[in-house]
């Protein structure tokens, strides 16, 4: 049975109780603990993994396999199968990752107004590298317009909400639905006001929680436009 993902229903969950279902080894020999449920976010969708602890076991990497099992990879003595554990996510790292990830969606909201012909593609929301790529090239310099729209959205301080939908409903709620919707997670839409995002990551509850977003560059080449950004206090 796949690991229950508690962060899917709660934007801010960083602690939980869980039971060890399996202990495995990674290809390089590190211990990996699989739980019945978890509040740890595994890397995916351009968002980095959480770190933290399972009791005294230090978690420094979290990944999800094709079966939906979340591997808590780390160091120290791994807890035993059947053992109850207390999960504690590193709050500072989660906060930074959540703000960066949410900022990428705000950028895309702004783009949908400033230059809606650009189709969103891959994104990265890491402290050392934050950007969203689009198919297409604008016919003008849009950096100033994007910044102004982002500032406007942050001032509006939208409150985000969650909905679980069928894959058929995604197109009705979301501007763009990627082809590679994961099959090992529930189909969840995060609504930034009425702007729907098909996403399984962690998000701020209120847009003001992100802090200031700065568009650092807009570069177009060979039909792809890459928009870089930073979030104040993180990168």
């Amino acid at each position: 049975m796949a690991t229950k993902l508690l962060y899917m229903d709660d934007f801010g969950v960083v602690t939980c109780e869980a039971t060890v279902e399996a202990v495995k080894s990674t290809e390089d020999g590190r211990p990996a603990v699989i739980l019945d449920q978890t509040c740890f976010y595994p890397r995916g969708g351009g968002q980095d993994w959480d770190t933290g602890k399972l009791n005294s076991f230090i978690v420094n990497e979290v990944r999800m396999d094709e079966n939906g099992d979340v591997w808590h990879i780390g160091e120290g003595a791994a807890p035993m199968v059947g053992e109850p554990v207390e999960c504690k996510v590193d709050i500072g790292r989660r906060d930074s990752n959540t703000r960066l990830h949410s900022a990428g969606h705000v950028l895309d909201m702004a783009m949908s107004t400033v230059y809606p012909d650009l189709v969103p593609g891959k994104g990265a929301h890491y402290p050392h590298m934050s950007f969203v790529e689009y198919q297409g090239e604008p016919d003008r310099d849009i950096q100033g317009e994007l910044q102004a729209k982002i500032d406007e959205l942050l001032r509006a301080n939208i409150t985000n909400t969650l909905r679980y939908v069928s894959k058929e409903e995604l197109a009705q709620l979301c501007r763009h639905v990627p082809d590679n919707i994961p099959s090992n997670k529930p189909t969840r839409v995060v609504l930034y006001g009425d702007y729907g995002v098909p996403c399984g990551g962690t998000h701020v509850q209120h847009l003001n929680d992100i802090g200031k977003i700065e568009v650092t560059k807009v570069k177009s080449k060979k039909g792809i436009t890459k928009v870089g950004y930073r979030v104040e206090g993180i990168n």
Side-chain angles (χ1 to χ4, degrees):
M1 182 180 295
T3 308
K4 183 178 180 181
L5 310 175
L6 299 180
Y7 60 82
M8 292 288 284
D9 294 318
D10 184 345
F11 285 121
V13 62
V14 290
T15 62
C16 73
E17 303 292 329
T19 301
V20 178
E21 294 209 326
V23 179
K24 301 184 178 182
S25 294
T26 62
E27 292 182 354
D28 57 3
R30 291 178 296 161
V33 180
I34 298 174
L35 306 172
D36 62 336
Q37 62 179 14
T38 189
C39 54
F40 281 80
Y41 182 78
R43 178 181 284 179
Q47 180 178 337
D48 212 352
W49 55 61
D50 286 330
T51 60
K53 289 186 176 182
L54 307 178
N55 293 348
S56 61
F57 180 72
I58 297 173
V59 178
N60 48 37
E61 183 176 333
V62 187
R63 294 191 179 273
M64 180 184 288
D65 65 22
E66 64 276 6
N67 298 316
D69 290 326
V70 176
W71 292 42
H72 305 76
I73 303 164
E75 55 187 277
M80 298 177 63
V81 173
E83 184 177 342
V85 295
E86 183 180 10
C87 305
K88 290 186 177 180
V89 169
D90 183 310
I91 296 174
R93 181 181 173 93
R94 163 69 73 81
D95 179 68
S96 294
N97 289 342
T98 298
R99 289 166 60 204
L100 285 167
H101 178 220
S102 299
H105 289 305
V106 173
L107 189 159
D108 195 43
M109 289 172 67
M111 184 66 81
S112 71
T113 299
V114 170
Y115 212 94
D117 289 345
L118 296 184
V119 178
K122 70 177 181 180
H125 316 292
Y126 306 117
H128 64 286
M129 178 179 63
S130 299
F131 67 84
V132 180
E133 283 188 353
Y134 296 87
Q135 297 175 25
E137 298 186 27
D139 58 5
R140 63 182 189 274
D141 181 356
I142 61 172
Q143 184 165 341
E145 295 176 69
L146 272 179
Q147 186 67 63
K149 187 61 180 179
I150 287 171
D151 293 344
E152 178 187 326
L153 290 167
L154 292 178
R155 287 194 299 270
N157 196 24
I158 295 166
T159 299
N160 295 339
T161 56
L162 299 172
R163 282 183 63 181
Y164 289 95
V165 300
S166 67
K167 291 185 178 180
E168 291 71 29
E169 293 176 281
L170 285 177
Q172 301 172 26
L173 294 170
C174 305
R175 173 190 173 216
H176 175 69
V177 179
D179 295 329
N180 58 340
I181 295 290
S183 59
N184 56 358
K185 289 184 179 180
T187 305
R188 188 187 73 173
V189 172
V190 181
L191 291 163
Y192 282 63
D194 59 0
Y195 186 87
V197 178
C199 184
T202 64
H203 301 252
V204 297
Q205 184 76 67
H206 310 284
L207 291 198
N208 272 354
D209 296 338
I210 298 173
K212 181 174 175 56
I213 303 169
E214 178 189 354
V215 180
T216 56
K217 67 176 181 179
V218 179
K219 184 177 181 180
S220 297
K221 184 178 180 181
K222 295 182 179 179
I224 298 294
T225 297
K226 184 175 182 179
V227 182
Y229 69 91
R230 67 180 296 274
V231 172
E232 186 176 25
I234 300 179
N235 52 358

